[in-house]
Amino acid sequence: MKISLPGANTAIPIGKLLCIGRNYARHAEEMQSDVPDEPMVFLKPASAVIRSGDAVVLPNRSRDVHHEVELVAVIGTGGTGISREEALDHVAAYAVGLDMTARDIQSRAKERGHPWSVAKGFDTFAPLGPLTPADQVGDVQDLTVSLRVNGKTRQEATTQDMIFPVAELIHSCSQIFTLAPGDLIYTGTPDGVGPVSAGDVLEATATGCAPLRVEVEAGRQEE
Ligand code: MN
């Protein structure tokens, strides 16, 4: 899938999805996880991305798929070893996104010390809202991120409560991974995560960003 960065004439492929775990203390608490002392990063494949209006498809091999609403930073200018001071200059746009998670598969992986790639990486597990140019979003550490399921608010939090602010995430990730235009950083979910069912309508918002709306569909039976 391709995305058009603000001000660019041509669409570019979505790059890597760097996702941050446990970036809000109350979510770490609800998962009975420790608060990390450095950003906890995992990757999702770009093939998991869908856009507003598309459907999240529930995989048959999970019985417990959860929503995690997150602010997403879309990288416009790449780099390695990016300083905290310049980090936000590398963001072309922000969007609201969902880090869909097969919680049952993730729990088994945690028990066994296995990676989270399957639990987090199914097709359709990375809904991405419309991109809003970064300079139209205001103070990224003072946004309200929220999710309604069938019209009822399930998650709502301020980005003031991030353990590692967006600039720190970009600084930290760029020490490990060279960032490139089209990379997405899913900045972590606040508390209130929970299961979704076929037929649910998920509506996510972040202050200043255009909203994201997806429906949940049952998966086809595996052969
Ligand atoms: Mn997440």
Side-chain angles (χ1 to χ4, degrees):
M1 180 173 299
K2 289 188 170 187
I3 49 172
S4 295
L5 299 180
N9 294 323
T10 51
I12 58 170
I14 291 174
K16 52 193 171 294
L17 277 59
L18 301 172
C19 302
I20 310 303
R22 303 170 194 167
N23 201 24
Y24 290 82
R26 283 200 297 276
H27 172 62
E29 204 174 295
E30 75 181 347
M31 298 303 296
Q32 296 169 330
S33 300
D34 294 330
V35 170
D37 52 15
E38 59 181 31
M40 204 266 265
V41 188
F42 61 92
L43 289 153
K44 266 193 201 232
S47 50
V49 175
I50 58 170
R51 304 305 304 270
S52 194
D54 295 340
V56 169
V57 179
L58 299 174
N60 285 300
R61 63 180 70 191
S62 173
R63 297 268 82 78
D64 192 27
V65 174
H66 279 204
H67 55 75
E68 297 191 354
V69 68
E70 311 199 355
L71 180 72
V72 180
V74 181
I75 299 298
T77 308
T80 304
I82 297 166
S83 71
R84 292 177 180 85
E85 293 69 32
E86 292 178 358
L88 296 184
D89 298 339
H90 289 256
V91 180
Y94 292 97
V96 65
L98 290 165
D99 169 19
M100 302 305 297
T101 303
R103 196 69 75 197
D104 45 358
I105 296 174
Q106 187 194 34
S107 298
R108 284 200 296 278
K110 282 181 180 175
E111 279 167 26
R112 297 171 186 174
H114 290 176
W116 294 3
S117 307
V118 174
K120 294 284 194 177
F122 286 99
D123 284 356
T124 77
F125 266 30
L128 175 69
L131 308 194
T132 301
D135 58 8
Q136 291 176 21
V137 170
D139 180 358
V140 71
Q141 297 311 141
D142 191 17
L143 307 180
T144 299
V145 177
S146 71
L147 176 72
R148 288 185 302 167
V149 179
N150 303 328
K152 273 183 74 175
T153 300
R154 292 277 190 84
Q155 293 189 266
E156 188 167 76
T158 167
T159 57
Q160 290 172 13
D161 289 344
M162 284 184 181
I163 296 167
F164 302 104
V166 177
E168 180 71 27
L169 297 177
I170 291 168
H171 166 71
S172 176
C173 287
S174 74
Q175 313 292 321
I176 305 162
F177 311 98
T178 294
L179 298 185
D183 287 350
L184 308 178
I185 302 181
Y186 281 65
T187 60
T189 193
D191 62 320
V193 302
V196 299
S197 308
D200 285 350
V201 175
L202 313 183
E203 293 170 294
T205 62
T207 317
C209 296
L212 163 69
R213 183 185 188 280
V214 291
E215 284 190 33
V216 179
E217 280 181 12
R220 269 185 244 105
Q221 220 46 53
E222 285 179 40
E223 295 297 319

